[in-house]
Amino acid sequence: MKFSSLFRPMDLVVGAANAVVVISWSLVQWELRTRDVQGLNEDLGWIVMSVSVVALFFRSAFPLAVTLVTWAATLVYYPASSTDGPMLSAFVIALYTLAALGRLVAASVIAAATFVIVVVSEIIARFAHMTESETLMLAGWIVAVPAIGAVVAHYRRYRAETLVALAEAQRRSVAEERIRIARELHDAVGHHLSLINVQTAAALRKLRKDPSFRTEEVLEVVAQTSQLSLRELRAMVGVLREAGEDSPTGPGPGLAQLPSLVDAARASGLDVELRVDGGAELPVAVDAAAYRVVQESLTNVLRHARASRVQVRVVIGTSTLAVAVADDGVGDAKGASAPGNGLTGMRERAEGLGGTFNAGPREDGGFAVEAAWPLEVPK
């Protein structure tokens, strides 16, 4: 066993302090001939005192053994020695340590046994060493020591559980933040890259068929889309770099930006119909989530659905916001199924704010995505 596991710094300090007090006090009383009743065996008294003093240095490594050793030494010392010194202190400290380290049952049993021995022995001796009140006071203190240790043990346990809970909450918060950032990157940058991919792929097909095809219009759309992508990337990086939550982060995405989103999809060849009914001030989180759901739905249509027509409808009521995106495609508009992508990401955005989400094939063909949020976001 390593030295550090046997002797803790506080044990060394407490043990040394106890040794100085007990030995010096006893020596002074011995020299001044301040004696109680005649002891049975003075040499034995000094021996058990030394054992008790040394044992206390190991109180944290072997709490029960040290408590029993100091208890036995104390029981032997007072009948054996005529010097009524502070020999009891080592046992009291050991008993407290036993209870503070969670061994409350053992500490209570030893304290109860000590209480009985102290009271019965003084009654038999007709209170030759202490008065009735002093005996009861000493016995009461011995019983109170485990109770004090139990309070300390409870506090330590509570503190340890609190630290574990805080660490778990921090770990969960970091994981949720990573998922949120990944979702933002996927929805924002992924959408723009999908538009760029669709535009460039279509332009390449036309160039293969007609080498004289002019690509200025396509390149202009690609340039505008990439500029939007860079803008959103810079905004995200700026938010991540902010030192405080109160720092301005600029306007985030919202339904007010739907016209430009629809225009970009139209530039990719889709016939997009946008309809917005109602108007009200929306919670920022709900506004952003609704925009991202529409954005991701259009991205999935462009990448997977092989659709020619898309309907985007937004209904803003007094207590609910609903969005729906329906296409006439024949492909798989579900998008990626990996966590954080496609339908999974959209469902998280809806249900994370207390809303609902549904997606699936339409009876008359195509695919539909529907989401709704309460306008009062749950805390």
Side-chain angles (χ1 to χ4, degrees), residues 179 182-188 190-191 194 289 292-301 303-304 332-350 357-359 367 369 371:
I179 293 174
R183 189 187 301 129
E184 287 292 328
L185 287 172
H186 172 268
D187 291 351
H191 172 77
S194 295
R292 291 303 190 197
V293 167
V294 175
Q295 184 184 52
E296 177 63 16
S297 299
L298 291 176
T299 300
N300 287 341
V301 171
R303 296 175 59 188
H304 307 289
D332 180 11
K334 295 181 295 182
S337 59
N341 298 326
L343 296 182
T344 303
M346 288 188 279
R347 184 179 301 279
E348 290 174 352
R349 288 189 180 278
F357 178 83
N358 291 289
F367 197 85
V369 173

Side-chain angles (χ1 to χ4, degrees), residues 251-256 279-292 314-323 349-350 352-355 372-379:
L255 294 179
E281 185 176 354
L282 301 175
V284 175
V286 171
D287 195 15
Y291 175 85
R292 291 303 190 197
V314 179
V315 179
I316 304 174
T318 57
S319 61
T320 306
L321 165 67
V323 299
R349 288 189 180 278
L353 295 173
W373 293 265
L375 295 187
E376 288 190 6
V377 180
K379 298 296 184 182

Side-chain angles (χ1 to χ4, degrees), residues 159-192:
R159 185 177 62 180
E161 291 174 353
T162 301
L163 291 176
V164 171
L166 288 175
E168 177 62 22
Q170 185 178 18
R171 184 198 63 78
R172 187 166 54 250
S173 176
V174 171
E176 291 174 354
E177 186 65 10
R178 290 178 63 183
I179 293 174
R180 187 190 69 81
I181 294 173
R183 189 187 301 129
E184 287 292 328
L185 287 172
H186 172 268
D187 291 351
V189 182
H191 172 77
H192 296 311

